[in-house]
Amino acid sequence: MPESAPKQAARGVVTDNLVSLQSFILEEEARYPGATGEFSWIISAISLAAKIIAYKVRHVRLQNVLGEQGEENIQGESQLRMDVIANEVIMRVLGGRSSIAVLGSEEDQEPTILRRGHEGGKYCVLFDPLDGSSNLDTAVGVGTIFTILRNDPTIHDAVGTVCQPGTQQVAAGYVLYGSSTVLVITTGRGVHMFELDAAIGSFMLVKRDIRMPARNKVYSVNEAYTPGFPAGYRRYLEWAHENGYSSRYIGSMVADMHRTLVNGGVFLYPPTKKHPTGKLRLLYEANPMSFLVEQAGGTSTTGTVRTMDVKPRELHERTPLVLGSKDEVAAVLAHFRSPADAMA
Ligand code: AHG
Ligand code: MN
Ligand code: MN
């Protein structure tokens, strides 16, 4: 009798078929009758950009691309050379895909219109080209965050086009340039993880349908800002200290969220004195992460409403954010007695 698959797996034998990101997306697309393949072209562009950025990030010193660009972006934050390079890479790679109507980036003030709906522009892509870039100096994990939206050809201004609530995302994901390079994506049917095999140049499927544990006593927040947090957050942290919680904070959202997605726990960026409406950007940081977390069985809230229900008003809008394991997010919210407890 042949050895069973679980027994083979116990011996370390790989029993699954090898699946690349490319073939995974083609397979997904084939489920939709009439699909044109345009969507998979966009994912292949994102994966190409990620490979180029991964290469740069892994050689920042040798390539002499550390340090400041000498300019500020629209957020008033000083741009690093790698922020600008990562942005350019994504713009150049996505710019050539004929199904993209509008591109929006953390590093650019306005969204860029590439083509109108009647010219075939079916989708919009919004992204944070390099998240956590201030950590590059110390070789800490950084990431790229992206989301894909439908383009409504009846809306003519670019900002109006991309200001869609998170519930309308077609796909979202991130790439973590950590000790390994992983790409995590959802198209609304679960969350899947791919690891970059640099030798063959492909992202390969390593985990299908990631489910977050419902609880894990870990919170991830910049605790130094506690005195400026609204009362509900301060009460939660006191409670967590008394109830055996651990703290983990890297300061790169992608790295902190990847750990939270895999191990469970809760990630928080509350309103602070410096950022009374939160620091993280709704459209290209909070919403893509919220889509992934919900698809993995977790929850995401702004402290007052479901994050993905917020109707955005501008590309660079910020939001407070609490997301992660279902029970851990509920434990945070249990300390908010009124909406004022969630606000600065
Ligand atoms: P970015 O590098 O794209 O500007 O984002 C930085 C963000 C995010 O990665 C992280 O969670 C957060 O800033 C950390 O902020 P604090 O240093 O205030 O904790
Ligand atoms: Mn960021
Ligand atoms: Mn960034």
Side-chain angles (χ1 to χ4, degrees):
M1 206 168 59
E3 195 180 20
S4 70
K7 274 199 179 148
Q8 285 184 329
R11 284 199 301 117
V13 176
V14 176
T15 51
D16 282 350
N17 291 331
L18 288 174
V19 179
S20 68
L21 175 62
Q22 191 77 15
S23 48
F24 181 87
I25 295 294
L26 285 171
E27 221 177 83
E28 286 274 290
E29 212 170 31
R31 294 174 179 275
Y32 300 95
T36 54
E38 287 163 280
F39 179 75
S40 48
W41 274 110
I42 298 178
I43 302 298
S44 92
I46 290 171
S47 111
L48 174 60
K51 288 177 223 172
I52 300 171
I53 297 170
Y55 177 77
K56 290 268 179 197
V57 161
R58 299 209 178 286
H59 301 83
V60 274
R61 287 167 196 79
L62 290 170
Q63 300 227 340
N64 196 22
V65 286
L66 272 179
E68 294 194 357
Q69 177 77 7
E71 278 161 40
E72 284 191 348
N73 66 10
I74 172 71
Q75 340 274 333
E77 295 159 350
S78 67
Q79 281 181 313
L80 299 179
R81 288 175 71 191
M82 267 309 296
D83 284 324
V84 176
I85 291 170
N87 193 40
E88 258 174 38
V89 167
I90 300 179
M91 285 291 185
R92 286 179 62 195
V93 173
L94 289 179
R97 301 298 195 221
S98 58
S99 55
I100 303 181
V102 181
L103 285 175
S105 163
E106 177 189 341
E107 303 303 333
D108 297 323
Q109 182 157 2
E110 299 291 337
T112 308
I113 298 177
L114 295 176
R115 51 191 69 74
R116 297 291 180 188
H118 66 268
E119 296 165 332
K122 254 169 94 171
Y123 298 102
C124 308
V125 183
L126 308 182
F127 54 92
D128 177 353
L130 205 52
D131 173 72
S133 50
S134 64
N135 287 318
L136 278 173
D137 277 359
T138 47
V140 168
V142 293
T144 296
I145 312 172
F146 61 90
T147 176
I148 303 177
L149 303 163
R150 278 206 177 77
N151 174 45
D152 179 348
T154 64
I155 304 176
H156 291 287
D157 73 298
V159 175
T161 302
V162 299
C163 280
Q164 304 180 27
T167 48
Q168 290 181 23
Q169 294 171 99
V170 176
Y174 60 77
V175 184
L176 170 61
Y177 313 103
S179 53
S180 59
T181 300
V182 292
L183 185 150
V184 176
I185 189 168
T186 183
T187 57
R189 292 182 0 99
V191 178
H192 315 288
M193 174 158 60
F194 299 80
E195 186 174 70
L196 179 60
D197 184 330
I200 61 168
S202 284
F203 279 100
M204 303 300 293
L205 182 65
V206 286
K207 204 159 174 33
R208 213 184 264 270
D209 213 7
I210 299 175
R211 303 299 295 169
M212 294 183 80
R215 20 174 60 182
N216 184 21
K217 292 168 110 180
V218 176
Y219 64 78
S220 185
V221 67
N222 191 333
E223 211 159 355
Y225 303 149
T226 307
F229 290 165
Y233 291 97
R234 294 203 307 269
R235 272 200 295 273
Y236 164 74
L237 287 170
E238 274 171 34
W239 171 86
H241 296 163
E242 286 158 12
N243 284 275
Y245 273 69
S246 249
S247 155
R248 290 283 182 278
Y249 192 69
I250 296 166
S252 277
M253 187 199 198
V254 172
D256 281 315
M257 279 311 303
H258 187 64
R259 184 197 56 248
T260 307
L261 197 73
V262 173
N263 293 349
V266 60
F267 173 88
L268 311 98
Y269 208 111
T272 60
K273 283 212 175 81
K274 185 171 171 199
H275 295 293
T277 56
K279 178 186 182 189
L280 299 173
R281 279 52 64 110
L282 174 64
L283 277 167
Y284 45 80
E285 291 180 319
N287 272 342
M289 290 300 182
S290 303
F291 192 15
L292 290 162
V293 161
E294 285 198 6
Q295 283 291 316
T299 317
S300 173
T301 166
T302 65
T304 46
V305 293
R306 179 185 177 206
T307 310
M308 289 204 288
D309 281 339
V310 177
K311 171 81 182 91
R313 282 155 300 158
E314 45 164 336
L315 175 61
H316 301 290
E317 181 169 333
R318 295 174 193 265
T319 180
L321 191 61
V322 179
L323 73 175
S325 297
K326 238 192 182 98
D327 293 359
E328 302 303 338
V329 173
V332 176
L333 295 181
H335 292 83
F336 296 0
R337 295 178 195 143
S338 69
D341 275 358
M343 287 184 257

